[in-house]
């Protein structure tokens, strides 16, 4: 997992965790052995030296001594083998000790614990049985040694088998410690890991179309496919699995899990090698990659994806607009405002918008402001709130581009900023609002104040923005609008708590 984080380009922050103090560990050992701390003080002192205060390793070592008969209770007092105690491994050898403990299991149980390790943190019993092709009773018998040794513990029901015909909540298991999972995973070679992951993906798919999977199932299948992508050879199997990866990439990117989105995109690119070339699939993947890289601040990599994808995306104006708006914001953040605006104006014209030429901006902004002199009945918070939500892709993407233009021109081209914001509000009134309208209204209210000296318009736009933001499904929208309104135009209009 740490390697995946490093590969994603995200900054890593290490937080060292200290082990228990000698006194605290002595209390833990005494509680485990049901005796007074002073009775096991010498035992606890050596355990603390060997394990560095690692409570999990101490508990494992106590169990090891007890199982070997080197720690026993006679006449109400505990006795231990001093030589065996001194021979216990140091803390840095803990993983090797766990691996040796797992290797003492029989071959069938080793294979089972290896499959469990491939599942990650949550182990689904039903998925285990289906992957191994065994019934519930046989699975219970095979799991018993792992449960008896507390290598596996029970957990909450699994969501992976929800919404399936006849499906019921299934018990979940988990490893008693991450180090046990690491040790178990080390027993499984690469080829076997890929075999298990692909087998689990097939079971979870169960012949269903990717679009019918629940979000939890989609993510789980995508994780397994990504881990086994080099093992998929059949184009007939690769095609639906590729759809899983692309859907998961789009979903995780939309939920701000950008590193996961890139991980699934990389796996999709590798899986596409066994399929015929498909520009539409390349475009889907490029859009997600660009958005994720932009959101992670990896602008050079996003530039490369943009340059590679844009020639194909130009044939799809709505999709191109999404990529252009992000690229324009990226350029703007790097102080390349002129390049950013030129890109936005070009894309708006591709969508059929009339964009002023150089030298026409002041007249165009004044003309947009004049529209509101004839639309005064619309300039009411209640009317703006009641605007219907549009689903027209052209309107949605045009609004997005106008907002990006406003951000790019705010400090460098005031008249272009005024025109873009007023035009975005007029677009909402004529064609329907988008989810981003609250923020547009806040920016447009500053134009009403600066260009029209219209305090009434400022108030109505700002009130509508706050109220629409309150009803928004996205928390980021509410806070962004509330902050902008409070800092720009709202202090004399409404209490700040209205924006929370």
């Amino acid at each position: 997992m740490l390697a995946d984080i490093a590969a994603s380009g995200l900054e890593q922050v290490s937080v060292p965790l200290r082990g228990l103090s000698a006194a605290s560990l002595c209390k833990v050992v005494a509680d485990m052995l049901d005796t007074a701390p002073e009775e096991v003080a010498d035992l606890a002192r050596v355990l603390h030296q060997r394990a560095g205060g690692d409570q999990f390793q101490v508990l494992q070592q106590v169990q090891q001594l007890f199982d070997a008969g080197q720690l026993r209770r006679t006449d109400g007092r505990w006795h231990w083998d001093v030589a065996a105690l001194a021979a216990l491994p140091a803390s840095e050898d803990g993983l090797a000790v766990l691996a040796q403990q797992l290797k003492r299991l029989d071959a069938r149980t080793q294979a089972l614990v290896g499959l469990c390790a491939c599942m990650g943190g949550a182990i689904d019993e039903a998925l285990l049985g289906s992957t191994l092709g065994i019934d519930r009773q046989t699975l219970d018998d095979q799991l018993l040694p792992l449960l008896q040794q507390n290598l596996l513990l029970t957990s909450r029901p699994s969501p992976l088998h929800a919404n399936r015909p006849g499906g019921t909540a299934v018990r979940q298991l988990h490893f008693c410690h991450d180090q046990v999972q690491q040790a178990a995973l080390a027993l499984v070679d690469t080829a076997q890991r890929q075999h298990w992951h692909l087998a689990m993906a097939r079971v979870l798919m169960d012949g269903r179309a990717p679009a019918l999977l629940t979000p939890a199932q989609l993510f789980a299948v995508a994780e397994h496919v990504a881990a086994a992508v080099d093992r998929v050879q059949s184009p007939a199997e690769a095609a639906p699995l590729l759809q899983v990866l692309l859907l998961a990439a789009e979903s995780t990117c939309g939920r701000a899990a950008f590193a996961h989105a890139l991980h699934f995109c990389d796996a999709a690119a590798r899986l596409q090698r066994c399929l015929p070339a498909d520009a539409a699939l390349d475009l889907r993947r490029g859009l997600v990659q660009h958005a994720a890289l932009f959101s992670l601040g990896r602008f050079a990599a996003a530039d490369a994806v943009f340059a590679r994808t844009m020639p194909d995306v130009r044939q799809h104006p709505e999709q191109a607009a999404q990529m252009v708006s992000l690229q324009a914001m990226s350029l703007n953040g790097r102080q390349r405002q002129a390049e950013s605006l030129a890109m936005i104006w070009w894309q708006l014209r591709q969508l059929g918008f009339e964009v002023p030429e150089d030298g026409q901006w002041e007249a165009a902004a004044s003309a947009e402001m004049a529209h509101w002199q004839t639309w005064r009945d619309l300039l009411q918070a209640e009317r703006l709130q009641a605007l219907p939500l549009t689903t027209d892709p052209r309107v949605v993407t045009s609004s997005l581009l106008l907002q990006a233009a406003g951000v790019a021109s705010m400090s460098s081209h005031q008249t272009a900023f005024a025109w873009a914001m007023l035009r975005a509000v007029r677009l909402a009134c004529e064609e329907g609002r988008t989810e981003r309208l609250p923020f547009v209204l806040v920016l447009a209210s500053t134009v009403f104040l600066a260009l029209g000296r219209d305090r009434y318009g400022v108030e109505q736009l700002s009130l509508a923005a706050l109220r629409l933001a309150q009803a928004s499904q996205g928390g980021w929208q509410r806070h962004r609008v509330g902050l902008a309104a409070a800092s720009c135009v709202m202090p004399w209009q409404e209490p700040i708590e209205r924006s929370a």
Side-chain angles (χ1 to χ4, degrees):
M1 184 173 65
L2 291 176
D4 291 340
I5 294 174
S8 73
L10 294 175
E11 181 182 359
Q12 298 183 58
V13 178
S14 297
V15 180
L17 300 177
R18 297 187 181 90
L20 294 177
S21 66
S24 296
L25 190 62
C26 183
K27 293 179 180 177
V28 170
V29 174
D31 184 63
M32 182 182 185
L33 299 178
D34 190 25
T35 189
E38 56 270 19
E39 294 291 331
V40 290
D42 291 340
L43 172 66
R45 177 178 52 77
V46 177
L47 289 171
H48 186 271
Q49 292 172 350
R50 305 302 294 169
D54 185 330
Q55 181 177 345
F56 172 74
Q57 189 171 342
V58 166
L59 296 179
Q60 290 291 307
Q61 291 177 344
V62 170
Q63 185 70 52
Q64 179 182 335
L65 291 171
F66 181 82
D67 291 343
Q70 296 160 341
L71 174 65
R72 57 196 181 280
R73 194 170 197 170
T74 56
D75 300 327
R77 299 193 65 178
W78 286 97
H79 303 273
W80 51 89
D81 187 320
V82 176
L85 182 60
L88 289 173
S91 58
E92 58 269 19
D93 299 324
L95 203 58
V97 172
L98 287 171
Q100 289 301 318
Q101 179 182 351
L102 293 173
K103 285 180 180 178
R104 289 195 290 269
L105 299 170
D106 62 72
R108 186 182 64 179
T109 307
Q110 280 191 45
L112 177 61
V113 79
L115 172 56
C116 290
C118 290
M119 286 189 174
I123 303 166
D124 185 318
E125 277 190 306
L127 181 57
L128 271 178
S130 299
T131 303
L132 293 168
I134 57 179
D135 59 33
R136 178 60 181 268
Q137 184 58 55
T138 304
L139 178 63
D140 286 344
D141 293 341
Q142 293 187 17
L143 284 171
L144 188 58
L146 300 175
L147 292 168
Q148 286 177 330
Q149 297 182 48
N150 290 323
L151 295 172
L152 293 181
L153 305 174
T154 58
S155 180
R156 64 190 183 281
S158 169
L160 292 182
H161 294 271
N163 298 339
R164 297 181 64 177
T168 57
V170 181
R171 182 178 64 166
Q172 256 183 8
L173 305 171
H174 64 272
F175 282 97
C176 62
H177 196 278
D178 289 345
Q179 290 185 6
V180 177
Q181 183 190 355
Q182 293 173 34
L185 199 57
L187 298 177
V188 187
D189 62 34
T190 300
Q192 186 61 46
R193 287 188 201 182
Q194 291 181 341
H195 169 78
W196 285 137
H197 282 296
L198 186 57
M200 287 186 283
R202 288 167 175 162
V203 169
L204 289 171
M205 286 285 288
D206 195 24
R208 289 170 295 170
L212 297 180
L213 298 173
T214 67
Q217 291 164 348
L218 179 67
F219 185 82
V221 174
E223 286 279 31
H224 290 307
V225 174
V229 68
D230 295 328
R231 197 175 180 87
V232 181
Q233 302 296 328
S234 164
E237 182 172 39
L241 295 182
L242 178 59
Q243 292 297 325
V244 166
L245 289 171
L246 291 175
L247 284 171
E250 291 162 348
S251 174
T252 50
C253 189
R255 298 180 184 207
F258 304 117
H260 275 102
L262 291 176
H263 173 58
F264 293 142
C265 283
D266 291 342
R270 288 157 56 200
L271 190 57
Q272 278 186 260
R273 295 171 188 165
C274 65
L275 291 169
D278 190 322
L281 294 175
D282 291 338
L283 177 57
R284 278 182 71 186
R285 180 165 46 83
L287 288 168
V288 176
Q289 282 180 308
H290 183 261
L293 290 167
F294 164 79
S295 300
L296 290 171
R298 295 169 58 183
F299 298 133
D303 289 345
V305 174
F306 182 82
R308 183 179 71 243
T309 309
M310 199 58 196
D312 295 326
V313 84
R314 288 185 193 279
Q315 303 172 25
H316 308 274
E318 288 82 12
Q319 292 174 311
Q322 299 172 30
M323 181 175 275
V324 165
S325 65
L326 293 180
Q327 186 68 10
M329 285 189 277
S330 168
L331 294 171
N332 182 60
R334 290 176 277 171
Q335 306 304 311
R336 294 161 64 179
Q337 284 88 356
E339 189 178 348
S340 172
L341 285 171
M343 184 179 293
I344 294 171
W345 302 145
W346 181 88
Q347 190 61 46
L348 279 169
R349 291 185 178 108
Q350 291 296 109
L351 290 169
F353 253 76
E354 291 185 13
V355 178
E357 301 292 343
D358 290 342
Q360 299 177 350
W361 289 106
E362 188 170 347
S366 297
E368 285 296 330
M369 194 70 209
H371 275 293
W372 290 100
Q373 303 306 317
T374 58
W375 286 12
R376 296 299 287 183
D377 60 327
L378 267 178
L379 196 56
Q380 299 174 17
E382 291 75 12
R383 295 290 298 277
L384 291 168
Q385 283 178 257
L387 291 173
L389 191 66
T390 183
T391 57
D392 185 337
R394 176 181 172 277
V395 177
V396 172
T397 51
S398 298
S399 179
L400 182 63
L401 286 167
L402 287 168
Q403 180 184 333
V407 173
S409 61
M410 187 182 299
S411 59
S412 61
H413 199 324
Q414 287 293 312
T415 51
F417 166 74
W419 176 83
M421 293 298 93
L422 293 174
R423 186 66 184 87
V425 177
R426 180 157 69 92
L427 177 66
C429 292
E430 293 175 341
E431 306 286 349
R433 65 180 175 86
T434 70
E435 293 288 353
R436 294 175 178 267
L437 180 61
F439 191 65
V440 171
L441 291 176
V442 170
L443 294 180
S445 66
T446 66
V447 178
F448 270 72
L449 189 62
L451 192 62
R453 305 291 190 269
D454 187 342
R455 294 283 290 271
Y456 174 78
V458 171
E459 177 184 358
Q460 295 304 306
L461 290 175
S462 300
L463 290 178
L466 286 174
R467 291 169 184 170
L468 281 170
Q470 285 176 323
S472 171
Q473 296 297 313
W476 70 270
Q477 179 84 291
R478 293 194 296 273
H479 297 306
R480 189 181 189 192
V481 169
L483 177 62
S487 61
C488 295
V489 297
M490 282 299 296
W492 66 88
Q493 299 293 353
E494 273 201 356
I496 185 63
E497 56 266 23
R498 284 286 195 90
S499 65

